[in-house]
Amino acid sequence: MNDVTGLYTIGQLARRTGLRARTIRFWSDSGVLPPAGRSPGGYRLYDAEAVVRLGLVRTLRDLGLGLDAIRRVLERRATLSEVADLHARALDAEIRTLEIRRSVLRVLACRDSSTEEITLINALARLSARERRQIIDDFVDGVFAGVDDEDATIVAEWMRDLPPDLPRDPAPEQIDAWMELAGLAGDASFRQTVRRMVLSSGQDNRLEYGLSLRPLVIEHAGAALARAVAPESAGASAILARIFPGGLAEQESAAVITWLELVTEPRVERYWQLLSLLNGRQPGPPAVPAFAWLLAALRARR
């Protein structure tokens, strides 16, 4: 410090604060440390307040705040709490990105992935929650377009049941589930299949069949599968009698077969299983094989 003026040169500030002279000069050039004046030789001079300001700037820089944000605080254009909150939010986003990257690396470490798969995994896993939501919304909007039906509306909302975001530290199976779900949503043939199911809702007793037959099919057709009872065998007739105690007229049998041809789509069931995984729920055992057995048994008797 100059004993006459009470001001510091950059070199003197550096010795007093332990900061490098070029760091102080850069901060001064950036506007966070304005000089109090200049020496006759043109050197920048700083007052005692600059020492205090340098301590604050260094602390905020250590916390990761940028010089623009620090300048706003020092110029009273923003409070420290506002800037700190904004920076904390940015750090949360950065931490989340790092956690996703770690999860992706864990997935890749568990298998021998191709270059294309590595690129796809990374791209899908790093999508924002809004972008992931948009993929599912576009899919559901497309397959339910123009369908004004209360039951269909309920199903559509179920199909949108995506969590707000991936877990903070998603397990490899959740990364895999998201990749597979995005693949299904973007698959044209899958979209067409679900669209056909949606459009058929007003043409048959789909809801009635789903509510009344599902538990019977899972119990009895599922047991037949477990015992390896062939659908065309005589033993299958007894199973059908338990599912349809009063039997089926020809027209009703045809309607049930039409419905079964729609619901025995493994990819649709897989869609629901993937949603369960992403929502942290363990999917139940597959039901499609039991329905496929019933379909084969009914066809064998027509």
Side-chain angles (χ1 to χ4, degrees):
M1 180 177 71
N2 187 302
D3 292 335
V4 176
T5 64
L7 299 176
Y8 299 89
T9 64
I10 285 179
Q12 290 169 333
L13 274 181
R15 288 190 293 272
R16 183 179 177 90
T17 62
L19 290 164
R20 290 183 297 179
R22 67 179 181 180
T23 299
I24 296 174
R25 186 175 294 109
F26 177 71
W27 287 355
S28 183
D29 291 341
S30 299
V32 298
L33 190 71
R38 288 188 177 265
S39 70
Y43 293 103
R44 285 175 279 194
L45 298 174
Y46 302 86
D47 56 18
E49 183 184 344
V51 178
V52 177
R53 181 178 283 230
L54 271 177
L56 176 60
V57 172
R58 176 163 57 182
T59 298
L60 295 179
R61 287 294 289 154
D62 287 344
L63 290 172
L65 268 69
L67 290 177
D68 286 343
I70 293 172
R71 186 167 54 250
R72 292 200 304 274
V73 171
L74 295 175
E75 293 173 355
R76 303 292 194 272
R77 289 188 287 120
T79 66
L80 181 55
S81 62
E82 290 171 341
V83 172
D85 179 65
L86 183 63
H87 190 62
R89 292 171 184 263
L91 283 177
D92 283 341
E94 184 176 352
I95 290 169
R96 173 143 193 80
T97 297
L98 291 174
E99 288 172 338
I100 293 294
R101 288 179 183 174
R102 179 178 60 189
S103 299
V104 168
L105 288 172
R106 284 175 177 168
V107 170
L108 297 178
C110 294
R111 57 182 160 203
D112 185 18
S113 300
S114 65
T115 301
E116 292 77 10
E117 187 180 24
I118 291 172
T119 302
L120 178 62
I121 292 174
N122 188 45
L124 289 177
R126 293 181 65 179
L127 290 176
S128 69
R130 182 186 61 78
E131 290 168 328
R132 280 192 293 274
R133 166 65 60 191
Q134 193 62 51
I135 289 174
I136 301 304
D137 282 344
D138 288 346
F139 163 70
V140 176
D141 289 345
V143 298
F144 285 88
V147 178
D148 185 17
D149 173 79
E150 185 177 349
D151 292 336
T153 300
I154 293 172
V155 174
E157 290 309 307
W158 288 345
M159 297 192 82
R160 297 183 200 271
D161 187 25
L162 196 69
D165 209 341
L166 289 171
R168 291 198 64 85
D169 189 11
E173 56 267 24
Q174 288 175 310
I175 296 287
D176 282 338
W178 167 243
M179 286 176 52
E180 189 177 347
L181 185 68
L184 280 176
D187 185 278
S189 66
F190 180 67
R191 284 174 175 250
Q192 291 168 1
T193 296
V194 179
R195 177 70 173 166
R196 285 197 299 271
M197 295 176 70
V198 170
L199 293 178
S200 73
S201 61
Q203 301 172 9
D204 57 32
N205 299 317
R206 184 185 63 167
L207 186 60
E208 179 185 342
Y209 291 150
L211 293 174
S212 61
L213 287 183
R214 182 180 176 84
L216 294 172
V217 173
I218 292 175
E219 178 183 358
H220 300 299
L225 269 175
R227 299 198 310 270
V229 176
E232 65 279 1
S233 68
S237 297
I239 305 297
L240 289 176
R242 295 191 187 102
I243 298 174
F244 304 104
L248 289 173
E250 180 66 22
Q251 186 175 358
E252 190 176 9
S253 176
V256 172
I257 287 175
T258 299
W259 174 73
L260 286 171
E261 288 171 343
L262 288 171
V263 301
T264 53
E265 168 53 69
R267 292 181 300 172
V268 174
E269 182 171 52
R270 184 57 180 162
Y271 183 97
W272 297 113
Q273 290 175 330
L274 293 170
L275 282 182
S276 292
L277 284 170
L278 288 171
N279 281 288
R281 302 188 299 265
Q282 190 60 36
V288 163
F291 281 96
W293 184 94
L294 176 61
L295 174 60
L298 289 175
R299 282 173 171 170
R301 282 152 183 80
R302 292 203 69 191

